[in-house]
Amino acid sequence: MLVTWLPAMLLLLVQVMFAGSFAFVNKNLFLFPAIAVGSLLQVLLATFTMLALSSLSKSARYVGILYAGIIFFTKAIYGATYAITGGSTKLSYLSLGDNLTQVVDVIFRLPPRYSTPWQVSLTVVVALIVLSISVLERRVRGVEVVT
């Protein structure tokens, strides 16, 4: 998780150095927890989804292709529905990446990019994490170490 939020923190430090004051940091103090929460959400989603997929197969290559396929397929499905509905973004919850984008926009106090309520997008992200944990719970067995 350190790798995810470290560049954002460095950008804040550079802004302070160039401005010569902490006015930017004082005005945007919410960025520190927003960066941490947004990064944590992205890492949790990717980690649990990848772990659940890897528990279903022994081939790392297959799991990587399956994960990329899920990301691209859900984006393609949303793209098709976007074109069919004439540019409506109400079905953005169909895309895994767009759900994450919607929630991160709300965390950073940006206007949401899609007309889907952010609560729906958060529900989809949390549901996928819970589904991944459920798959992991059923597929991964504990090993007792006897010394």
Side-chain angles (χ1 to χ4, degrees):
M1 188 168 111
L2 178 68
V3 174
T4 308
W5 61 267
L6 188 60
M9 294 297 182
L10 288 175
L11 285 175
L12 285 174
L13 180 64
V14 168
Q15 175 66 28
V16 169
M17 287 181 355
F18 283 139
S21 70
F22 285 96
F24 176 80
V25 174
N26 289 336
K27 186 178 176 184
N28 299 305
L29 201 56
F30 72 93
L31 286 177
F32 292 107
I35 291 168
V37 171
S39 299
L40 181 68
L41 189 63
Q42 290 177 349
V43 167
L44 284 176
L45 181 63
T47 301
F48 281 117
T49 306
M50 191 63 94
L51 278 173
L53 290 173
S54 67
S55 73
L56 298 174
S57 174
K58 292 183 181 187
S59 171
R61 226 178 253 137
Y62 177 71
V63 170
I65 291 169
L66 193 58
Y67 182 74
I70 288 171
I71 299 295
F72 293 136
F73 181 72
T74 58
K75 184 68 174 176
I77 292 294
Y78 167 64
T81 58
Y82 179 81
I84 290 170
T85 59
S88 174
T89 60
K90 290 183 180 180
L91 296 174
S92 67
Y93 62 86
L94 295 174
S95 172
L96 184 60
D98 292 340
N99 284 317
L100 199 54
T101 301
Q102 181 88 337
V103 174
V104 170
D105 282 349
V106 170
I107 290 171
F108 279 95
R109 298 181 185 176
L110 297 171
R113 298 178 197 191
Y114 308 105
S115 59
T116 302
W118 68 269
Q119 294 92 343
V120 173
S121 295
L122 181 64
T123 303
V124 170
V125 169
V126 170
L128 188 59
I129 291 172
V130 168
L131 178 69
S132 298
I133 291 172
S134 173
V135 167
L136 285 170
E137 186 178 333
R138 295 187 196 310
R139 295 286 299 178
V140 177
R141 300 173 204 249
V143 177
E144 184 177 339
V145 177
V146 179
T147 58

